[in-house]
Amino acid sequence: MPTSSTQPETKVKDKIVIYFLSSSNPLDVEACKTVHNHLSQFIRNAKPPIEIYSDYSIVAGDETEKYKEMLYAADRVIAFGSSDFIADNTINSRIEKVILRYNNRETRLLAIIVRHFLWKEPFFGQLPILPKERIPLYDQKTWSIDDAFASVAEAIKDVITRHYNVEQSTIEVKP
């Protein structure tokens, strides 16, 4: 009896939801904002659309807990690692739920080393890490801050483009 080989149907997403998770330390929040800024042109022109959420971007008056639930529905969570991140019990309880989703293949995780900390320990040590050089973003002895953030943003763009088949719309420039 002949067998038919059918390929599994790939579902195209309406939008891609990314959550930037960081501590409330001003340097960590600034890292989220800076990476977001570097990705802004890519996000603006992406098809399907990309939405980025983070605790730092909660609008005054919004229901905080409802907004933070977006973390558990995100397609990709990017953890901005620092000693403040790993010491924060609230983040710890939230990341446990994200890890369950990750283990069930419901979300993807990516970690960024923002400031020096023991990142080789679980859970960070088990994740894909940026920068590729494994040097914290704010280690200015090694590289300029602009180079660090541009490098990380480029790597995130590449990962998202590759994994979600993101296309870029073209902008017509007229003379």
Side-chain angles (χ1 to χ4, degrees), residues 3-173:
T3 60
S4 72
S5 64
T6 58
Q7 301 229 345
E9 192 175 313
T10 307
K11 184 181 179 201
V12 177
K13 297 186 78 53
D14 299 2
K15 65 181 176 181
I16 301 163
V17 177
I18 300 171
Y19 201 97
F20 286 0
L21 184 62
S22 75
S23 79
S24 60
N25 179 288
L27 282 175
D28 297 353
V29 171
E30 189 62 32
C32 286
K33 290 178 180 179
T34 303
V35 169
H36 194 166
N37 287 345
H38 276 274
L39 291 170
S40 62
Q41 186 72 23
F42 168 66
I43 294 165
R44 189 177 301 119
N45 298 316
K47 291 180 183 178
I50 298 172
E51 296 177 1
I52 295 183
Y53 296 97
S54 178
D55 294 352
Y56 76 80
S57 60
I58 298 173
V59 179
D62 281 357
E63 188 179 329
T64 304
E65 290 308 311
K66 182 179 177 186
Y67 191 91
K68 288 182 178 182
E69 287 292 319
M70 291 179 183
L71 170 65
Y72 308 127
D75 298 304
R76 181 168 297 268
V77 175
I78 300 178
F80 286 73
S82 68
S83 58
D84 291 306
F85 183 102
I86 61 173
D88 188 311
N89 289 331
T90 303
I91 290 176
N92 226 5
S93 65
R94 293 172 72 203
I95 205 70
E96 287 175 7
K97 292 179 184 178
V98 173
I99 291 170
L100 287 174
R101 289 191 69 236
Y102 174 75
N103 289 339
N104 290 330
R105 298 176 188 236
E106 297 168 356
T107 192
R108 292 187 172 259
L109 284 164
L110 182 62
I112 296 174
I113 305 170
V114 178
R115 296 180 287 126
H116 288 283
F117 73 107
L118 299 176
W119 64 267
K120 292 180 184 176
E121 301 294 320
F123 100 102
F124 273 93
Q126 299 166 317
L127 297 176
I129 297 280
L130 292 176
K132 290 182 245 180
E133 299 82 4
R134 310 250 186 305
I135 301 167
L137 291 175
Y138 287 113
D139 185 343
Q140 294 181 343
K141 291 179 221 159
T142 308
W143 53 6
S144 79
I145 197 78
D146 289 334
D147 290 343
F149 281 101
S151 169
V152 165
E154 186 67 36
I156 291 170
K157 176 185 173 251
D158 291 346
V159 165
I160 292 169
T161 301
R162 200 171 49 252
H163 184 262
Y164 299 105
N165 296 319
V166 173
E167 297 176 10
Q168 292 285 283
S169 62
T170 58
I171 300 172
E172 189 177 326
V173 179

